[in-house]
Amino acid sequence: MPKNPSTSTSEPSAVAQTGAKESRRGLSRRLLLTSAGAGTAGLAVGALAHAGLAGRSHAATVVDTVEFYGAHQAGITTAAQDRMHTAAFDVTSDDREALISMLRSWTDAIAAMTQGQQVGADDPAAGSYDAPPSDTGEAADLSAANLSVTIGFGRSLFIGNHGKARFGLDGKLPDALIELPHFSGDQIEEGRSDGDIVVQACADDPQVAVHAIRNLSRLGFGTVRVRWSQTGFGRTSKTTRAQQTPRNLFGFKDGTANLLADNKELLDQHVWVGKDSTDQPWMAGGSYMVTRRIRMHVETWDRSALREQENVVGRVKSTGAPLSGGDEFSEPDFAMAGSAGPVIPADSHVAVVHPSQHDGVQMLRRGFNYVDGSDGLGRLDAGLFFIAFVIDARTHYVPLQEAMSSKDAMSEYLRHTSSGLYAILPGISQGQYLGQQLFDS
Amino acid sequence: MPKNPSTSTSEPSAVAQTGAKESRRGLSRRLLLTSAGAGTAGLAVGALAHAGLAGRSHAATVVDTVEFYGAHQAGITTAAQDRMHTAAFDVTSDDREALISMLRSWTDAIAAMTQGQQVGADDPAAGSYDAPPSDTGEAADLSAANLSVTIGFGRSLFIGNHGKARFGLDGKLPDALIELPHFSGDQIEEGRSDGDIVVQACADDPQVAVHAIRNLSRLGFGTVRVRWSQTGFGRTSKTTRAQQTPRNLFGFKDGTANLLADNKELLDQHVWVGKDSTDQPWMAGGSYMVTRRIRMHVETWDRSALREQENVVGRVKSTGAPLSGGDEFSEPDFAMAGSAGPVIPADSHVAVVHPSQHDGVQMLRRGFNYVDGSDGLGRLDAGLFFIAFVIDARTHYVPLQEAMSSKDAMSEYLRHTSSGLYAILPGISQGQYLGQQLFDS
């Protein structure tokens, strides 16, 4: 199952007239920061660069903002951005009102940052020399870079160590927010797993994603603390991005068979929690996010023959086609016979995880590659930070992972080092705060 | 001094006709991998995307390759790419010929990868099903993304633990390849420091940089092992890159006063080792690379008042102008008096590191921001992976770092956690291998 990154297709609207962004809401990041100074036309930079290349005489700028408000949070069906910074926080306070207050400030900050604006631009003290700046500043001058921020709650937010409800959330824990079981071969590090609140920030610019996590962390000071934090990279050069399925660190195309983000019927069936599919009405419009940090033993992989690699994956390395033939998007023919058993081995990754083996369940995968230095044993600490959004992990993740960990030949080259399951909050409309459906319920 | 990233100005040539790259040398990465399959016109993807935007009828493609051969290695004065993966290796073999043989294979691989080609495309066994692929494959379909790979040797390559020369390199250690001293406040982690060989890979696509390090590591199997590895990010969205000085994780513009990469006279004075400036003729055309992983205490910084932040840096946060006035590129006026001492405090970063305080020495800084998860104490492990290229660290780095660590108010917010100094090899011409000047000398 570790497929990366998703091949969602709904790109944000691409081109509009200069100034569209500025009109949205008050000061842009750049305008705020340059109000004391140079005040050059920063927002038009992209426009001018493109105009230069294109020989256009009228400046147009790329709109790279993702809508924040809506029935669902952004960052799920949003076209996968290039970079990810995901962090989990533990709430250090027992105070329900403090938690709600933080969620309100987070909501305001996310609404601003995703539109390319400074955090706290509305704050009268924002420019005071005697106060810390309301925005940490490292994303000033940068565009929104398609930033999306997606918030979810872990099981531990609802139930404390001794089984006692926290924050007055008695009876609000969804049945589906289970503790994920131990899977064969797991080597889970607790310090990289779980957590009360997860925040997935994705953007085409790493500094913008990092800026988002950092500013939420800053706003949460005294209420939450970072439990773990992971950066990742996905897509590729802009020059080759639109046409290609990305390759994972095993060198194979990955994400070919992913659930497409514009297929509403399949999303309702496999991703979005509906009123009728949950015991907790507050979850309607939400989803569940599975995170698994999957170390890939690239050194071992790199020393295995091409034949072995293709048999493990069940696809041709160069083209991504199933071993049964066709092209990248052809359906695998698991019945096709070869000289020694099926052409696509039964223990190949594609055979083990194919929806036909799992009652047709699908997930929306949205993982990112990671490289976290080396491991002290002369090997790179690299792999996939697996992220999937599903309607219910009990039906849509656990059986697949059980099959993979016990049957998939690829497991030999993988090690799962973290695990997380989070209830992704429903989207909100203007005036609401993230989590309001829960706390008002 | 930690300034990041450099503002070098010599961009690689920008636009040329489709096919320019393919003509260079044999098979391109994409063509090799698709030779068994789809065979679509991968190299034209960027061209088509741009043409679509521009409404051009003739396809033109962005050439994003950096020249490998030359008097100096690439990756020093090369315009700073967006992403970095730097690794240090220790040589596990005692065999001089094995080391040279590896350097030859590295040279071939770097020559190929920097031109967007597969490693080992010339190898007759490259496509064999019974051998490991000669290229790990994850950069297939990707362009060269301005990849540069820069190789340097650490002091430990020349001298073993007991002071004995290694690899027959008696008398070849340059005087300038010192052990860096301990600086006040240093908390150096040995496992992230030093190493026999350093490899700096930079590209606009993280997967391309990672691919380079990984393939060199694979080629070096049995001869070297990874000692440490660090990823980083620099620049910013393409839409805002050309015009802006990037901001560091303190939110300040950083690199304004950096040595410009197109100033030949200053480079010869401060960066390139010349025949007359070294005791080791084989170093002519080389340089010295200083690496320091500088953890930034962003949480503490974020809680300090804007006034404190600006006094520590000596510049206006929004514009980057010195506190003495003007704009980002104005010279600081350290004599200008304020109500309580100089307007630019004497212990501000800009005052402590200014060339006027250091006999006019300058360095070519080329650092990258990093975020390596969190530290287990609820804080982000984030900061600057400082890289500087200098003609001699004894004159061009040590005095500045001594001043910073003892006088600079910014030091309170920083912690140096790694340290490295490497002799950067001179460039080579076709037919030579990296390091040949040393081993032939």
Side-chain angles (χ1 to χ4, degrees), chain B residues 17-69:
Chain B
Q17 290 309 108
T18 303
K21 191 159 64 182
E22 278 171 79
S23 68
R24 287 219 192 189
R25 155 190 170 140
L27 293 170
S28 79
R29 270 209 289 247
R30 175 163 179 84
L31 291 180
L32 182 75
L33 244 94
T34 56
S35 60
T40 51
L43 276 168
V45 165
L48 295 176
H50 276 294
L53 202 63
R56 284 186 185 180
S57 56
H58 298 292
T61 191
V62 173
V63 170
D64 60 356
T65 54
V66 173
E67 181 61 38
F68 170 59
Y69 298 105

Side-chain angles (χ1 to χ4, degrees), chain A residues 11 21 27 33 99-100 123 179 222 233 238 245 299 338:
Chain A
E11 293 283 341
K21 190 158 67 184
L27 292 170
L33 244 95
L99 175 56
I100 290 174
D123 180 351
E179 275 186 72
F233 56 94
K238 299 298 181 192
T245 306
E299 291 83 1

Side-chain angles (χ1 to χ4, degrees), chain B residues 245-298:
Chain B
T245 306
R247 290 179 185 270
N248 62 21
L249 293 183
F250 284 158
F252 277 75
K253 291 193 181 193
D254 211 340
T256 302
N258 203 4
L259 206 165
L260 294 184
D262 58 354
N263 192 324
K264 187 179 176 329
E265 194 181 334
L266 286 179
L267 292 176
D268 285 340
Q269 200 176 335
H270 298 292
V271 176
W272 301 127
V273 174
K275 278 182 187 142
D276 304 329
S277 60
T278 178
D279 55 313
Q280 293 291 348
W282 68 266
M283 271 295 290
S287 185
Y288 291 90
M289 180 188 191
V290 179
T291 64
R292 306 277 293 185
R293 187 171 179 274
I294 304 174
R295 168 95 182 261
M296 294 163 76
H297 295 302
V298 295

Side-chain angles (χ1 to χ4, degrees), chain A residues 123-269:
Chain A
D123 180 351
S128 163
Y129 276 107
D130 296 317
S134 59
D135 185 294
T136 58
E138 74 271 24
D141 319 329
L142 302 184
S143 73
N146 287 315
L147 174 68
S148 64
V149 179
T150 315
I151 307 278
F153 289 163
R155 184 177 168 89
S156 58
L157 187 85
F158 297 83
I159 300 183
N161 280 335
H162 304 290
K164 200 159 169 265
R166 300 176 72 190
F167 307 110
L169 295 175
D170 316 51
K172 301 299 180 190
L173 175 73
D175 285 346
L177 194 53
I178 59 171
E179 275 186 72
L180 286 179
H182 173 87
F183 299 100
S184 168
D186 274 3
Q187 295 190 23
I188 303 300
E189 299 169 30
E190 208 181 315
R192 296 183 188 274
S193 301
D194 304 325
D196 294 342
I197 305 179
V198 74
V199 182
Q200 174 201 249
C202 300
D204 290 331
D205 186 319
Q207 189 131 327
V208 170
V210 164
H211 172 264
I213 293 293
R214 174 185 180 183
N215 278 270
L216 297 186
S217 176
R218 190 179 59 79
L219 288 170
F221 180 71
T223 309
V224 293
R225 47 175 270 170
V226 177
R227 179 181 174 90
W228 57 259
S229 158
Q230 178 72 48
T231 57
F233 56 94
R235 308 292 283 265
T236 56
S237 317
K238 299 298 181 192
T239 45
T240 50
R241 116 177 232 180
Q243 286 76 359
Q244 303 288 342
T245 306
R247 290 179 185 270
N248 62 23
L249 293 184
F250 285 156
F252 277 76
K253 290 194 181 193
D254 210 340
T256 302
N258 202 4
L259 207 165
L260 293 184
D262 58 355
N263 191 324
K264 186 180 177 328
E265 194 183 333
L266 286 179
L267 292 176
D268 286 341
Q269 201 178 332

Side-chain angles (χ1 to χ4, degrees), chain A residues 4 15 30 32-38 40 42 45-50 52-56 62 64 82-83 85 87 126-133 135-143 145 191 204-208 210 213-214 217-218 221 225-231 233-253 298-299 301-310 316-319 327 369 371-374 376-380 382, chain B residues 4 15 30 32-38 40 42 45-50 52-56 62 64 82-83 85 87 126-133 135-143 145 191 204-208 210 213-214 217-218 221 225-231 233-253 298-299 301-310 316-319 327 369 371-374 376-380 382:
Chain A
N4 164 66
V15 174
R30 177 164 177 83
L32 182 75
L33 244 95
T34 54
S35 60
T40 51
V45 165
L48 294 175
H50 277 291
L53 203 61
R56 286 188 184 176
V62 172
D64 61 356
D82 296 2
R83 313 288 172 249
H85 189 189
S128 163
Y129 276 107
D130 296 317
D135 185 294
T136 58
E138 74 271 24
D141 319 329
L142 302 184
S143 73
D204 290 331
D205 186 319
Q207 189 131 327
V208 170
V210 164
I213 293 293
R214 174 185 180 183
S217 176
R218 190 179 59 79
F221 180 71
R225 47 175 270 170
V226 177
R227 179 181 174 90
W228 57 259
S229 158
Q230 178 72 48
T231 57
F233 56 94
R235 308 292 283 265
T236 56
S237 317
K238 299 298 181 192
T239 45
T240 50
R241 116 177 232 180
Q243 286 76 359
Q244 303 288 342
T245 306
R247 290 179 185 270
N248 62 23
L249 293 184
F250 285 156
F252 277 76
K253 290 194 181 193
V298 295
E299 291 83 1
W301 182 261
D302 290 348
R303 293 199 290 276
S304 66
L306 180 57
R307 186 190 307 279
E308 157 80 358
Q309 293 185 7
E310 295 194 345
V316 177
K317 190 166 190 178
S318 58
T319 64
D327 65 20
N369 297 327
V371 175
D372 288 349
S374 56
L377 298 171
R379 300 176 305 204
L380 292 178
Chain B
N4 165 64
V15 174
R30 175 163 179 84
L32 182 75
L33 244 94
T34 56
S35 60
T40 51
V45 165
L48 295 176
H50 276 294
L53 202 63
R56 284 186 185 180
V62 173
D64 60 356
D82 295 3
R83 314 289 170 248
H85 190 188
S128 162
Y129 277 107
D130 296 317
D135 186 294
T136 58
E138 74 272 24
D141 319 327
L142 302 183
S143 73
D204 290 333
D205 187 320
Q207 189 129 327
V208 171
V210 164
I213 293 293
R214 175 185 177 182
S217 176
R218 190 179 59 79
F221 180 71
R225 47 176 272 170
V226 178
R227 180 182 173 90
W228 57 260
S229 157
Q230 178 73 47
T231 57
F233 56 93
R235 308 290 283 266
T236 57
S237 317
K238 300 298 181 190
T239 46
T240 49
R241 115 178 233 182
Q243 286 74 4
Q244 303 289 341
T245 306
R247 290 179 185 270
N248 62 21
L249 293 183
F250 284 158
F252 277 75
K253 291 193 181 193
V298 295
E299 291 82 1
W301 182 260
D302 290 347
R303 292 200 289 276
S304 66
L306 180 58
R307 184 190 310 278
E308 158 79 358
Q309 293 185 7
E310 295 195 343
V316 176
K317 189 167 191 178
S318 57
T319 64
D327 64 22
N369 296 327
V371 175
D372 287 349
S374 56
L377 297 171
R379 299 176 304 204
L380 293 177

